Amino acid sequence: MKMTTIWMGALAILSGSANAAQVYDSYDAFYAAQPGAVFGAPIEQDADSIYSLPGEQGIYTHLRSALDGKTVRIDVAENRITVNGKTYRFARATTFPGEYAIDIDPASARVFLARGTRIRPSLLCLEGDGSGSGEADRHKQIFLLLDPLARNAAWLHLPSLLSSCRAVVATNYGRFAFPKNSYLFDETQESRIGLLVSYHTFAHRRFASVPAPKQVRLRFTHPEIPFQFSVQDKN
Amino acid sequence: MSGSISKDVRLLAAIAYGEASTADDPQEIGGIAFAVANRCRAWDGKTVSELRSADPNYSYAWDGSNARFNKLMRTPDGEIDLNPAVKLAVVWAQKALANDGPDPSNGAFWWDGPDPSNGAFWWDGLDFRTNYANHPKVRDGFKWGSASDNIFGVREKRREVIVRWKIRNKKTGQIVDGGERGRYDSVWISTAAHGSTVFWQHNPDYLKASGGKAFR
């Protein structure tokens, strides 16, 4: 065995051990540390770029960025996003089973862009919050636009529980994957002690689980409080 | 408790019981029941079931993962009296739904009355402290209606936002910047706090600047 191979293997083991021991207090930080994370920082939003149109309800924000060498103009309203003049309504997205599209506060919404690669199209992700109570803060409205500058971009509504645009990862076979999370309970089924992160993708016009990355188990530091956790195991 | 309870009373009681802390504080349970009922009344007089359908994100106690919500939903009518906290939630739900008289404040923003939420439409529990950095109401901007509402000892988060009109230029047809529609320094204002729950309404300045509705 070559020395470099041994060294790389040792690094992988060390990296795996560090990952298992690390306590996270942010899902964004956890997702950003996953291999293949697609999105980095959101597009910067000017606090003075919030507008209203006479005769139309609500407010919208205007963002401007670049993607694959082209200018992208984005308007985010309560129930839709408009990309270079083309509007995508939340209610018309292909929705992951069990999710519901709701209005969001445009002023707090975040939009992420990821360049395309040789084997994967560019991506746009919108992350927002509705007006919820109690544990609604654990749910994000996440919408993904595949190939956003194309004429027939796919428009998806992804799972909400403790997720994030930063949770989207590129797979090694040219697709993207995202988590569908569910709570793990204690033996009495009364206390939530962890989270099962199960990865899915969208292919052939339907959602499906993916072979890899498949699942990650997170354990909460304190039962019922999901905002501090560590990785229990991966497969 | 004699007699059967209606489907809406049961659903409301389960939300109040499920969303409240395990301390079973009567004002906390009652405040949550009233906040839901207040929003139902403001939103075209919806039933609690209709509110759940119209805004599934409003509360997640009803998604099957909340043991207390599930417990109350499964408690037979004849066994409600056996659990004082469950009974308390049912009584508050009945009281909140029956409170359909005129607004005792005559439209004022604050009033003293039997509603422990003090006219709220929303609430937050312990997540407001444990998820403070990423909490939607913190990101939106919030302020305390009263210093005593700060039960979690967290900083107020104001966020200055100016909303401007976009208008169509009659000559060119282009959409151009217009004047200022309004400004606000927070989306949320607390109305009360009991137990481990803070109650909220929208800031009137936010509603004016955004053209939004108080119950959305």
Side-chain angles (χ1 to χ4, degrees), chain A residues 24 42 75 90 101 116 122 143 152 166 168 182 192 210 213 226 231 233:
Chain A
Y24 293 93
D75 290 343
F90 301 162
S122 55
F143 295 93
N152 295 312
R166 288 191 169 102
V168 177
S182 50
R192 292 166 290 187
V210 296
V231 175
D233 59 61

Side-chain angles (χ1 to χ4, degrees), chain B residues 177-208:
Chain B
D177 287 358
E180 181 179 317
R181 182 179 190 182
R183 58 179 69 197
Y184 56 89
D185 62 3
S186 74
V187 172
W188 305 95
I189 297 183
S190 66
T191 60
H194 300 289
S196 298
T197 298
V198 180
F199 296 90
W200 308 100
Q201 277 188 342
H202 281 317
N203 182 342
D205 291 340
Y206 163 72
L207 295 176
K208 191 176 169 191

Side-chain angles (χ1 to χ4, degrees), chain A residues 93-223:
Chain A
T94 302
T95 299
F96 193 89
E99 299 294 329
Y100 306 91
I102 56 166
D103 289 358
I104 63 166
D105 175 15
S108 302
R110 297 193 288 184
V111 178
F112 299 76
L113 293 173
R115 285 183 300 175
T117 66
R118 189 173 49 80
I119 56 170
R120 176 181 57 73
S122 55
L123 300 169
L124 179 152
C125 188
L126 168 66
E127 183 181 306
D129 297 298
S131 293
S133 287
E135 294 183 1
D137 68 302
R138 301 178 184 190
H139 294 260
K140 294 282 180 200
Q141 292 284 300
I142 300 169
F143 295 93
L144 190 67
L145 195 54
L146 279 63
D147 208 357
L149 302 180
R151 186 173 291 177
N152 295 312
W155 175 228
L156 310 177
H157 182 193
L158 304 187
S160 63
L161 178 62
L162 296 166
S163 196
S164 161
C165 280
R166 288 191 169 102
V168 177
V169 295
T171 66
N172 55 9
Y173 45 93
R175 296 198 188 279
F176 68 94
F178 56 88
K180 158 67 179 170
N181 299 334
S182 50
Y183 290 115
L184 296 168
F185 288 81
D186 66 359
E187 288 174 358
T188 64
Q189 296 295 307
E190 293 211 341
S191 187
R192 292 166 290 187
I193 57 170
L195 197 70
L196 180 64
V197 181
S198 305
Y199 282 89
H200 290 69
T201 192
F202 184 80
H204 308 298
R205 303 173 74 178
R206 56 188 292 188
F207 292 107
S209 58
V210 296
K214 200 169 185 180
Q215 288 187 333
V216 182
R217 282 174 186 268
L218 307 180
R219 177 168 284 271
F220 304 152
T221 305
H222 305 287

Side-chain angles (χ1 to χ4, degrees), chain B residues 20-21 25-32 114-118 124-125 148-149 151-152 191-199:
Chain B
S21 66
D25 181 319
Q27 297 289 297
E28 184 180 12
I29 291 174
I32 295 169
D115 170 2
S117 81
N118 197 17
D124 278 302
S148 62
D149 296 345
I151 53 174
F152 297 125
T191 60
H194 300 289
S196 298
T197 298
V198 180
F199 296 90

Side-chain angles (χ1 to χ4, degrees), chain B residues 9-180:
Chain B
V9 166
R10 180 178 291 275
L11 178 57
L12 181 55
I15 295 166
Y17 181 65
E19 290 277 2
S21 66
T22 53
D24 294 331
D25 181 319
Q27 297 289 297
E28 184 180 12
I29 291 174
I32 295 169
F34 261 90
V36 177
N38 290 340
R39 194 167 181 227
C40 284
R41 277 189 282 274
W43 196 346
D44 304 329
K46 287 189 186 316
T47 64
V48 182
S49 303
E50 287 169 346
L51 181 68
R52 177 183 182 170
S53 299
D55 187 4
N57 182 66
Y58 181 48
S59 164
Y60 277 86
W62 50 41
D63 77 350
S65 69
N66 184 307
R68 281 164 64 93
F69 176 92
N70 298 342
K71 178 182 171 182
L72 197 149
M73 289 299 282
R74 285 196 297 259
T75 303
D77 287 353
E79 294 178 18
I80 286 171
D81 280 351
L82 302 178
N83 184 325
V86 167
K87 183 181 177 184
L88 187 72
V90 172
V91 169
W92 271 114
Q94 290 169 326
K95 195 174 173 183
L97 289 174
N99 185 33
D100 54 0
D103 176 357
S105 69
N106 196 25
F109 197 64
W110 310 106
W111 72 90
D112 292 320
D115 170 2
S117 81
N118 197 17
F121 292 160
W122 290 271
W123 68 90
D124 278 302
L126 192 60
D127 277 11
F128 196 70
R129 177 166 66 81
T130 55
N131 189 30
Y132 179 84
N134 294 305
H135 199 284
K137 290 187 182 69
V138 178
R139 287 173 48 78
D140 290 346
F142 77 94
K143 55 187 181 182
W144 301 116
S146 162
S148 62
D149 296 345
N150 188 4
I151 53 174
F152 297 125
V154 295
R155 278 183 297 111
E156 190 171 79
K157 173 76 185 304
R158 298 193 185 212
R159 184 179 180 209
E160 300 285 343
V161 172
I162 301 169
V163 181
R164 293 189 167 82
W165 289 110
K166 281 281 190 184
I167 54 173
R168 189 176 293 279
N169 184 308
K170 288 178 183 172
K171 287 182 183 170
T172 64
Q174 297 280 310
I175 301 290
V176 296
D177 287 358
E180 181 179 317

